[in-house]
Structures are given as C-alpha cells and as structure tokens.
Amino acid sequence: MRPAVPDFLYGTAWKEDRTPALTELALRTGFRGIDTANQRRHYFEAGVGQGLAAAYRAGVVTRDDLFLQTKFTYRGGQDHRLPYDPSADLSTQVAQSMASSLEHLGTDHVDSYVLHGPASGHGWTDDDAEVWEAMVKERAAGRARLLGVSNVSLRHLAQMAAAGGEAPAFVQNRCFARLGWDRAVRAFCGERSIVYQGFSLLTANPEVLHHPLVARIAARVTATPAQVVFRFARAVGMLPLTGTSDPEHMKQDLASRDLALSGEEVRAIESLAG
Ligand SMILES: NC(=O)c1ccc[n+]([C@@H]2O[C@H](COP(=O)([O-])OP(=O)(O)OC[C@H]3O[C@@H](n4cnc5c(N)ncnc54)[C@H](OP(=O)(O)O)[C@@H]3O)[C@@H](O)[C@H]2O)c1
C-alpha cells in the first residue's frame, strides 16, 4: 500500500539529546511526517524512535498515522558511529543500515527510504546505481514503501534516468531562492510526478525573509515571513521540511498551510531572488 504523503515533514537533524522530546512534541503539535537518517553524525535516529514510542504510549498517534522517512548515508558522510560494516559491499551496507533503522524506529517498514546523497557531486556513479538497486530490493521486501534521493543536481537525475533505474518518488534538496528555488530540479520532478521535498527553506534564504515584498505579504495575511515562505513552498508544489526546536514555531509552521496567498504573490516570491 502506498502511504499517504503528509503536507509537512518534521526534520530531526542536529537535535542530539533533545531528539526524543522534540519528536514527541512535533507529533503532539500535529506533524505526521518525520524525516531522519541513519547518520549519527547529524541525526539521533534511535532518539527519534524513543520519541515515537513515547507518543504511541501516550495515545497521541499510532504507527499507521505516520509517514516515517529515513536515509542511507555513504561512509564518506558518516563519522565513526557507522550503522553498517564498512568493509562489506554497498548492497550489504544498505541492508544493514535499513535493519538498524527499523530497530531504531521500532517499526517493520519505513514509508520512505532516501539515498542521502550520491557518491560524487559530479554525476550518478556505478556505486549509486548499486545502492539504488539495493534500496529497490528493500522496498520489494516490504521494508520501505517509497524511495527517494537527496542532494542531487539535474545532472544526477538525468544520468540516473539514463542508467535505466527506477525513478525516485522523492527528491529532497536544499532549496535556494537564488536558484529560482531549485527551479530546474523542481521542473524535472514536476514532469515525472516526483515529489520535491525542500529543506533549509529559511536558513538558505535570509534575503527572502528580510525582503520588503515578503514583509508586505506577511502583514497582509497576518503571519510571519517564515510562514509565508512555507506557504509559498506548498503553493509551488513542494513538500517542505522544518526542523524547528521551538514549540511556537512548530505551531506556526503547521498553521502556514491555511494562509491564502494570491497567484500573483506566489509568482512574485518565486522570482524574487533568481
Ligand atoms: N538531506 C539532507 O542532506 C538534509 C540536510 C539538512 C537538513 N535536512 C532535513 O531538513 C530538516 C530541516 O532542516 P533545515 O536545514 O531546513 O533547518 P532547520 O533545522 O529546520 O532550521 C530552520 C531554522 O529556522 C528557524 N525556524 C523554523 N520555523 C520558524 C518560524 N516559524 N519562524 C522563525 N524561525 C523558524 C529555526 O529556529 P527555531 O528552532 O528557533 O525555530 C531554525 O533556526 C532537518 O532536520 C533534516 O531532517 C536534510
């Protein structure tokens, strides 16, 4: 069964010991999509699992209410706390990382499994094709419902498609307004029904948050510039991520879904910086 994809993802990077409590709080606040990674350097995936377990125990949500997304991260993106045997071949590393993720998250499947980043910044390599094949096998075995790739360029995506592998269901990228909010990659995704997940929508775009146009729109809809950016992201078809640690910001980020922006405002923000 294909899981329903939520309209916002709560990101769990960089939270360390606060990960369990913040994950639980995000669920209590209304988030139903959780993004993590089996990369201890930036994420505490077992802590996400602790937060989920606390929310299940308290009757806030059940596993079936949730969209859980995690990632496979190459050796180069990890520190010494590896979720696999680095001397094993890549397919085995994917299987070991997945088994470890399922244990961390206390589940028998994730809703989305994402390749954290390709092996090279320059193009889709044989290693990537091997990892992707292993991820497809994980999905075939029922341990993942949908697959995605992250930190990819248009070139990666075009080469991946040319290699004949299955298309991803998700692309997760840092979204820079100065690149037309990743316009080229979003267009590629739009043509293929790939859902574009945008992260760093606020931190990558300070010039947008301080722009008079965004301030004017925020005043008109009685919202903050951050909320306007998240609403804009939805309006152009993105699935936004927020990793806020602030309870008020959690509420504001979810409430942004109800803001009414005009088509003209959306177009103006889209071409604001690039
Ligand atoms: N695939 C990848 O390689 C990759 C890389 C980076 C991130 N991610 C994912 O994306 C998630 C989000 O990361 P991010 O890079 O977007 O950064 P982030 O961790 O979400 O940081 C966003 C910043 O914006 C602030 N913020 C959030 N909502 C706000 C609001 N309503 N008003 C004002 N400030 C607000 C936060 O401050 P407060 O905490 O004070 O609210 C924080 O300083 C991560 O947790 C992770 O899951 C993936």
Side-chain angles (χ1 to χ4, degrees), residues 127-213:
D127 281 356
D128 298 323
E130 181 182 342
V131 165
W132 188 246
E133 204 49 46
M135 290 170 62
V136 169
K137 285 200 182 115
E138 291 299 317
R139 200 220 23 230
R143 290 186 282 274
R145 297 280 194 260
L146 297 167
L147 302 177
V149 289
S150 182
N151 297 299
V152 287
S153 63
L154 190 58
R155 185 185 167 98
H156 284 122
L157 289 167
Q159 292 181 351
M160 183 187 186
E166 180 178 312
F170 299 109
V171 163
Q172 182 183 104
N173 268 4
R174 179 166 279 123
C175 192
F176 290 98
R178 67 174 179 274
L179 301 178
W181 304 90
D182 214 2
R183 185 180 284 119
V185 170
R186 286 192 296 117
F188 181 98
C189 291
E191 288 157 12
R192 291 163 180 78
S193 303
I194 299 169
V195 175
Y196 180 97
Q197 302 182 5
F199 64 85
S200 300
L201 284 159
L202 306 182
T203 48
N205 304 306
E207 77 279 22
V208 171
L209 291 170
H210 297 112
H211 198 284
L213 170 82

Side-chain angles (χ1 to χ4, degrees), residues 10-15 35-36 43 71 114 116 150-151 172-174 198-203 224 226-227 230 241-246 248-250 252-253:
Y10 183 70
T12 59
W14 311 303
K15 296 180 172 56
D35 176 81
T36 186
Y43 297 78
K71 311 185 192 85
V114 172
H116 208 153
S150 182
N151 297 299
Q172 182 183 104
N173 268 4
R174 179 166 279 123
F199 64 85
S200 300
L201 284 159
L202 306 182
T203 48
T224 66
Q227 287 180 299
F230 285 129
L241 285 102
T242 175
T244 180
S245 298
D246 180 310
E248 277 313 305
H249 289 166
M250 283 189 193
Q252 289 175 359
D253 293 354

Side-chain angles (χ1 to χ4, degrees), residues 74-76 79-80 82-90 92-93 96:
Y74 278 116
R75 174 75 187 90
D79 61 16
H80 61 285
L82 292 168
Y84 46 71
D85 172 1
S87 63
D89 59 50
L90 288 168
T92 305
Q93 289 182 20
Q96 290 178 349

